[in-house]
């Protein structure tokens, strides 16, 4: 077993042979944690994090780009890719793990798509499916200003759904940050940017408009 790797009660999950050569992993009952990274395409270097993979195929990343300072995560891989300022087409190609080849003793960065680590993701993605959700806006019933809701977690999706169902929703009810009716509304030129992973000023596409997934559907 490679130095720094741990195997703990990993019955019927990834085997040692599956993980041969991979560095920085810890395997426990029902999930695997492994050091991962994503290289910025804007010249900011490598963003290092910890990838957790469950037997149900769920993937989440906790970023450690600034140890003790960065508080991003756990988040879906696609959000980690955006956090790392990487604009490649897919997170499967952009997020990597480190592998050592016994013949050469050199370590290389291997994309997730070229490893066994996505085995359970592909096997269960129809059951545990998480889409990307673009930002949504809701108008305050008191001041009439539109407020932006970010939908990057189940809690944020839940808060937005509750707000939409409330016809008397006001700025003071906003839970993602402190807000009141006296604060200025976002400029119209800024509202067009809603976080679509494919097109910066997208008006709505299959990549950013969700029709129902584990993240936004009630438990």
């Amino acid at each position: 077993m490679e130095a720094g790797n741990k195997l703990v009660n990993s019955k019927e999950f990834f085997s040692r042979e599956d993980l041969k050569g991979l560095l920085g992993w810890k395997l426990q009952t029902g999930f695997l944690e492994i050091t991962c990274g994503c290289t910025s395409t804007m010249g900011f270097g490598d963003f290092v994090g910890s990838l957790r993979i469950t037997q149900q195929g769920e993937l989440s990343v906790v970023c450690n780009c600034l140890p003790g300072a960065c508080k991003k995560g756990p988040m879906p891989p696609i959000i980690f890719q955006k956090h790392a300022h990487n604009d490649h087409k897919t997170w499967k190609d952009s997020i990597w793990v480190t592998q050592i080849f016994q013949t050469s003793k050199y370590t290389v960065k291997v994309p997730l798509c070229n490893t066994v680590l996505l085995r359970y993701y592909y096997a269960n993605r129809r059951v545990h499916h998480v889409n990307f959700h673009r930002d949504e806006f809701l108008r305050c019933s008191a001041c009439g200003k539109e407020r932006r809701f970010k939908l990057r977690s189940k809690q944020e999706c839940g808060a937005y759904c509750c707000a939409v169902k409330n016809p008397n929703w006001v700025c003071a009810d906003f839970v993602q940050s402190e807000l009141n009716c006296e604060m200025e509304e976002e400029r119209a030129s800024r509202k067009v940017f809603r976080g679509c992973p494919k097109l910066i000023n997208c008006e709505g596409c299959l990549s950013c408009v969700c029709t129902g997934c584990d993240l936004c559907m009630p438990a």
Side-chain angles (χ1 to χ4, degrees):
M1 187 183 303
E2 286 75 17
N5 297 334
K6 298 181 180 180
L7 188 65
V8 183
N9 299 326
S10 56
K11 183 170 62 175
E12 297 182 359
F13 200 29
F14 291 109
S15 67
R16 296 187 186 187
E17 188 62 29
D18 290 333
L19 303 173
K20 186 177 181 180
L22 297 178
L23 301 179
W25 54 263
K26 182 178 181 181
L27 188 56
Q28 301 194 44
T29 303
F31 70 89
L32 166 75
E33 286 186 347
I34 186 168
T35 300
C36 68
C38 188
T39 303
S40 169
T41 55
M42 300 177 64
F44 297 127
D46 293 341
F47 285 63
V48 178
S50 177
L51 171 67
R52 174 175 287 206
I53 307 168
T54 71
Q55 281 183 293
Q56 291 74 37
E58 298 170 334
L59 307 178
S60 61
V61 182
V62 173
C63 186
N64 195 34
C65 60
L66 295 172
C70 182
K71 299 180 180 179
K72 297 291 184 179
M75 53 188 154
I78 190 172
I79 304 301
F80 177 59
Q81 179 191 9
K82 291 175 68 68
H83 174 62
H85 304 283
N86 181 297
D87 60 4
H88 284 167
K89 188 174 181 179
T90 69
W91 57 266
K92 303 179 192 73
D93 294 317
S94 303
I95 298 176
W96 44 261
V97 292
T98 306
Q99 184 171 7
I100 185 170
F101 290 94
Q102 300 297 333
T103 54
S104 63
K105 300 299 182 181
Y106 288 114
T107 59
V108 295
K109 298 172 182 175
V110 182
L112 290 180
C113 60
N114 293 340
T115 71
V116 300
L117 298 175
L118 298 182
R119 173 192 298 167
Y120 295 91
Y121 168 78
Y122 287 125
N124 297 286
R125 61 180 174 175
R126 290 186 179 181
V127 178
H128 296 275
H129 180 52
V130 174
N131 287 330
F132 178 82
H133 299 74
R134 68 176 185 167
D135 300 344
E136 298 291 350
F137 287 89
L138 187 64
R139 191 176 300 278
C140 173
S141 63
C143 67
K145 297 174 182 176
E146 286 190 324
R147 302 304 189 184
R148 180 187 295 265
F149 282 76
K150 292 184 179 296
L151 310 180
R152 304 296 186 266
S153 69
K154 199 168 188 68
Q155 292 74 22
E156 290 176 342
C157 288
Y160 174 68
C161 289
C162 290
V164 169
K165 293 176 182 178
N166 180 7
N168 299 315
W169 184 87
V170 294
C171 295
D173 297 329
F174 194 70
V175 297
Q176 295 184 7
S177 63
E178 291 188 8
L179 189 65
N180 60 61
C181 291
E182 301 300 320
M183 295 182 178
E184 293 186 2
E185 183 178 3
E186 275 192 45
R187 298 190 304 271
S189 59
R190 177 62 185 167
K191 288 181 181 179
V192 299
F193 305 117
R194 299 176 68 170
C196 176
K198 281 195 172 182
L199 187 63
I200 191 170
N201 59 347
C202 177
E203 295 182 358
C205 70
L206 293 177
S207 293
C208 64
V209 177
C210 180
T211 57
C213 72
D214 280 4
L215 194 66
C216 61
M217 296 293 285

